Amino acid sequence: MADIESWLTGPAVGCRGSRLIPTVANSSPAFGQYRPRTDGTGYEPWALQVLEFSGDRIASITAFRYTARLFPQFGLPGYLRAEACPGVPA
């Protein structure tokens, strides 16, 4: 997970500053990804990222962008305030 978080919150285009909240989807590790709002007031849902494994390695990551429908199903909030992520660099 650390490698994925490093990629999505670092050099990945458009994902810099994202916040990730872990969850589980169909028995697979997953996380809600939130990207910074353009007005700087917090973070908005971007995608539900679901990991698939082959042995002990990640085989694929599938991003589901239907956040308005999916995030509530996985108990993920519809918005993150900036102060909801203290100590996590943008």
Side-chain angles (χ1 to χ4, degrees), residues 1-77:
M1 280 296 258
D3 289 342
I4 295 167
E5 182 174 11
S6 177
W7 169 253
L8 290 175
T9 59
V13 175
C15 295
R16 185 176 303 277
S18 288
R19 302 298 185 256
L20 308 175
I21 296 181
T23 189
V24 175
N26 296 327
S27 302
S28 294
F31 52 88
Q33 179 183 357
Y34 296 79
R35 288 176 39 166
R37 291 177 52 111
T38 56
D39 63 7
T41 61
Y43 304 86
E44 57 193 7
W46 176 251
L48 177 69
Q49 306 277 357
V50 181
L51 309 178
E52 294 183 42
F53 286 84
S54 177
D56 64 349
R57 295 185 170 261
I58 295 172
S60 68
I61 303 171
T62 304
F64 297 92
R65 296 285 315 280
Y66 305 107
T67 59
R69 187 180 74 210
L70 291 174
F71 274 39
Q73 292 177 358
F74 290 92
L76 296 166

Side-chain angles (χ1 to χ4, degrees), residues 72-86:
Q73 292 177 358
F74 290 92
L76 296 166
Y79 170 80
L80 295 179
R81 294 186 325 256
E83 61 272 10
C85 306

